[in-house]
C-alpha cells in the first residue's frame, strides 16, 4: 500500500476518509479518542500544503439527514485538536460541500456532513454505491484512507472511492495494520486474549480463529453467562444466548484438544436489575456470588474479586495481550471494578498490549487510565476482530489496489 509520502499533495484536494464516529450525549462529545487518533494524518497533510476534505460517518441514520447524527460538533472539536479552524459543509455532495471545498486554500481543512445522510454510502447495490462515489470523487484529486473503524464495510467512501482516485493509506491505518500483524504473525508468547462485551455471537469468528493461535482466552462480560450456562450453571436473568450454547461447548472441547486454556469467571457481582448508567444511582442489592451460584432472580453484571485476581494472574507472564470488550457494566461505578482490573493487569504486565477499540477503548479513557501506557489502542473494534478472524477487509483491499 502507498503511504502519504508517495503522493504529491501540495495544492491538491485530498479526500481523507476518517472514522469520526464518536459517542454523543445531547450534542456533546463524550469521548474524542477517534478525533485525536486521525488528527496527526490531517496535520501532516496540512503541513504539506494540501486542501484537506475530511469525511466520516456517525451513528446509523437511515440514508437521509438526521440532526442527532450531525458531524457539526465534531468539526468544532477537530479544529480544537488541530489548532486550526475546520470549515463545515452542511451536506455531503451538494451545494454546501462543493462551495466549501472550492473555498479551501492550501493547508486548510473542511469536514463534510455525515456520509450516511446519503443512502448511496451504505447501499448494497453496486451501481447506487458507485454513483455516490462518483459524486464524492468530484470533490477531490487524491484519496487517503484513514478510517480504520470502517474498513470492514463495503461502503462507497471506503471501498468504491479509492478506485476512482490516486490513493494511499493514512498513518493511522498503517499503524493499525502493523499492530494486527503482530497479533497474527510471529506472535511473542504466551499470547493471552481477553474477550468481553455482551454477546458470544459477536465474537464467534474470532474465538474460532484464536483457538489455533492463542495460549489463553479469558472470558468476561455478558458473553460469559452463555459459557457458564453451557457448563450447567444457573445464570438467573443474566444475558444469555441459548442458541450459542452448542457452539460454546464445541469451543471448550476444541480448546482442550489444542491446549488452549479457557479462563472463565469464578465469582460474579450481581443485582436484581440493570443499574442506571446515567445517574449512577446506588445499587441497593449488590452482592458477589460464586459463578455457579447466581440466584434465579438476579443478573450478573461484573466479574467478582476472585476472578479479578485470577485474570491478573493469567495475564502477568503474557508477552502479547489482546483485549476486546469490557468485562462488566463499567459505565456504573459499582460494576466497573472488573474492567478496571483488566486494564491495570495489562499495564502491570510486560506484554505488548492491544486494546481492541470500541467500548474497551472508551472504558480505558473513562476510567482514567493513561492510554499512552498501553502498547496500542485500536480505533476499530469490529475491524480488529474481523482482521483477527482472517477475513478480507474491503477497505484495506481497496487501498492495496
Amino acid at each position: 500500500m502507498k503511504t502519504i509520502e508517495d503522493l504529491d499533495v501540495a495544492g491538491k484536494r485530498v479526500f481523507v476518509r476518517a472514522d469520526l464516529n464518536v459517542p454523543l450525549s445531547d450534542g456533546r462529545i463524550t469521548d474524542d479518542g477517534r478525533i485525536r487518533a486521525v488528527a496527526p494524518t490531517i496535520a501532516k497533510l496540512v503541513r504539506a500544503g494540501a486542501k484537506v476534505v475530511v469525511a466520516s460517518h456517525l451513528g446509523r441514520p437511515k440514508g437521509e439527514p438526521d440532526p442527532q447524527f450531525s458531524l457539526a460538533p465534531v468539526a468544532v472539536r477537530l479544529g480544537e485538536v488541530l489548532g486550526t479552524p475546520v470549515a463545515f459543509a452542511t451536506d455531503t455532495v451538494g451545494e454546501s460541500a462543493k462551495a466549501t471545498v472550492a473555498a479551501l486554500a492550501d493547508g486548510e481543512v473542511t469536514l463534510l456532513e455525515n456520509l450516511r445522510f446519503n443512502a448511496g454510502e451504505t447501499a448494497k447495490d453496486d451501481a447506487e454505491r458507485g454513483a455516490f462515489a462518483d459524486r464524492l470523487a468530484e470533490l477531490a484529486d487524491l484519496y487517503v484512507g484513514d478510517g480504520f473503524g470502517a474498513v470492514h464495510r463495503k461502503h462507497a467512501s471506503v471501498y468504491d472511492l479509492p478506485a476512482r482516485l490516486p490513493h494511499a493509506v493514512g498513518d493511522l491505518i498503517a499503524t493499525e495494520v502493523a499492530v494486527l500483524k503482530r497479533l497474527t504473525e510471529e506472535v511473542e508468547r504466551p499470547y493471552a486474549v481477553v474477550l468481553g462485551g455482551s454477546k458470544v455471537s459477536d465474537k464467534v469468528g474470532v474465538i474460532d480463529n484464536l483457538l489455533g493461535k492463542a495460549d489463553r482466552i479469558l472470558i468476561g462480560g455478558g458473553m460469559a453467562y452463555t459459557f457458564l450456562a453451557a457448563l450447567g450453571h444457573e445464570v438467573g436473568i443474566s444475558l444469555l444466548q441459548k442458541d450459542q450454547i452448542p457452539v460454546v461447548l464445541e469451543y471448550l472441547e476444541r480448546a482442550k484438544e489444542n491446549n488452549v486454556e479457557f479462563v472463565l469467571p469464578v465469582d460474579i457481582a450481581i443485582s436484581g436489575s440493570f443499574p442506571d448508567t446515567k445517574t449512577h444511582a446506588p445499587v441497593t442489592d449488590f452482592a458477589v456470588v460464586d459463578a455457579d451460584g447466581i440466584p434465579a432472580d438476579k443478573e450478573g453484571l461484573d466479574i467478582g474479586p476472585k476472578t479479578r485476581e485470577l485474570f491478573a494472574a493469567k495475564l502477568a507472564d503474557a508477552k502479547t495481550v489482546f483485549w476486546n470488550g469490557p468485562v462488566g457494566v463499567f459505565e456504573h461505578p459499582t460494576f466497573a471494578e472488573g474492567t478496571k482490573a483488566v486494564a491495570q493487569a495489562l499495564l502491570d504486565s510486560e506484554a505488548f498490549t492491544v486494546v481492541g477499540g470500541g467500548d474497551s477503548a472508551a472504558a480505558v479513557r473513562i476510567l482514567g487510565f493513561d492510554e499512552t501506557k498501553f502498547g496500542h489502542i485500536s480505533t476499530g473494534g469490529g475491524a480488529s476482530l474481523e482482521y483477527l478472524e482472517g477475513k478480507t477487509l474491503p477497505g484495506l483491499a481497496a487501498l492495496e489496489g
Side-chain angles (χ1 to χ4, degrees):
M1 289 185 283
K2 290 184 177 179
T3 65
I4 292 172
E5 286 73 20
D6 296 317
L7 300 178
D8 178 11
V9 303
K12 303 288 182 60
R13 300 170 302 164
V14 181
F15 189 104
V16 178
R17 186 20 166 126
D19 176 13
L20 303 174
N21 186 28
V22 296
L24 293 171
S25 177
D26 299 322
R28 183 178 61 85
I29 297 168
T30 58
D31 180 9
D32 67 355
R34 283 177 170 163
I35 297 173
R36 290 183 288 106
V38 76
T41 292
I42 297 171
K44 177 183 285 189
L45 292 167
V46 166
R47 290 193 300 270
K51 300 172 181 179
V52 187
V53 182
V54 184
S56 176
H57 68 287
L58 192 155
R60 296 181 182 274
K62 305 299 183 181
E64 58 186 30
D66 185 336
Q68 67 175 318
F69 296 117
S70 174
L71 281 166
V74 177
V76 175
R77 181 59 185 145
L78 179 60
E80 293 171 349
V81 173
L82 291 172
T84 187
V86 172
F88 182 64
T90 57
D91 55 30
T92 55
V93 290
E95 293 307 314
S96 179
K98 293 174 183 176
T100 306
V101 172
L104 286 176
D106 295 354
E108 291 186 342
V109 183
T110 188
L111 174 64
L112 304 181
E113 184 54 283
N114 194 336
L115 290 165
R116 292 183 182 174
F117 285 1
N118 189 304
E121 169 68 1
T122 59
K124 301 294 185 185
D125 181 75
D126 290 350
E128 183 181 356
R129 222 177 42 248
F132 182 50
D134 287 339
R135 297 182 69 188
L136 290 172
E138 294 173 2
L139 300 173
D141 305 302
L142 305 169
Y143 176 95
V144 171
D146 216 26
F148 181 72
V151 293
H152 59 314
R153 305 296 188 192
K154 193 175 182 180
H155 291 170
S157 65
V158 176
Y159 178 76
D160 301 274
L161 187 54
R164 289 158 168 78
L165 295 169
H167 53 267
V169 63
D171 291 354
L172 173 59
I173 284 187
T175 299
E176 294 273 13
V177 171
V179 166
L180 288 168
K181 285 184 177 179
R182 289 186 64 177
L183 297 179
T184 53
E185 303 171 12
E186 299 179 5
V187 180
E188 192 173 358
R189 299 185 180 280
Y191 177 18
V193 176
V194 184
L195 296 177
S198 58
K199 297 179 179 179
V200 174
S201 56
D202 292 341
K203 306 289 196 302
V204 163
V206 74
I207 294 174
D208 185 69
N209 207 33
L210 286 170
L211 283 172
K213 295 181 173 65
D215 298 301
R216 298 171 195 146
I217 301 177
L218 287 60
I219 302 292
M223 62 185 292
Y225 305 106
T226 300
F227 278 84
L228 294 175
L231 296 178
H233 300 329
E234 170 67 58
V235 297
I237 57 173
S238 306
L239 186 62
L240 173 63
Q241 289 185 288
K242 288 185 178 179
D243 62 315
Q244 295 296 314
I245 287 178
V247 177
V248 165
L249 288 171
E250 178 196 337
Y251 286 163
L252 292 172
E253 186 60 35
R254 281 176 53 198
K256 291 179 182 177
E257 295 171 358
N258 294 340
N259 293 317
V260 177
E261 184 181 9
F262 253 108
V263 184
L264 301 177
V266 294
D267 60 346
I268 300 291
I270 62 170
S271 173
S273 60
F274 198 84
D276 189 327
T277 57
K278 289 191 175 181
T279 67
H280 294 170
V283 178
T284 58
D285 62 345
F286 170 82
V288 175
V289 299
D290 289 342
D292 60 356
I294 300 175
D297 62 344
K298 301 295 182 182
E299 180 176 11
L301 297 163
D302 194 13
I303 58 174
K306 293 179 183 177
T307 305
R308 298 199 295 266
E309 291 181 8
L310 174 64
F311 279 18
K314 295 297 182 182
L315 297 173
D317 68 339
K319 296 301 181 186
T320 304
V321 179
F322 174 70
W323 171 31
N324 181 279
V327 296
V329 185
F330 74 91
E331 299 92 341
H332 193 287
T334 302
F335 300 105
E337 295 304 315
T339 302
K340 283 183 184 177
V342 170
Q344 190 60 54
L346 264 65
L347 294 181
D348 291 342
S349 76
E350 296 182 359
F352 173 61
T353 57
V354 179
V355 181
D359 289 340
S360 313
V364 164
R365 290 186 278 266
I366 290 170
L367 296 176
F369 289 92
D370 182 351
E371 57 191 297
T372 66
K373 301 296 185 183
F374 296 87
H376 179 70
I377 296 184
S378 178
T379 56
S384 296
L385 289 177
E386 291 199 15
Y387 189 101
L388 293 178
E389 288 176 33
K391 291 184 177 180
T392 297
L393 306 187
L396 292 184
L399 291 169
E400 290 169 351

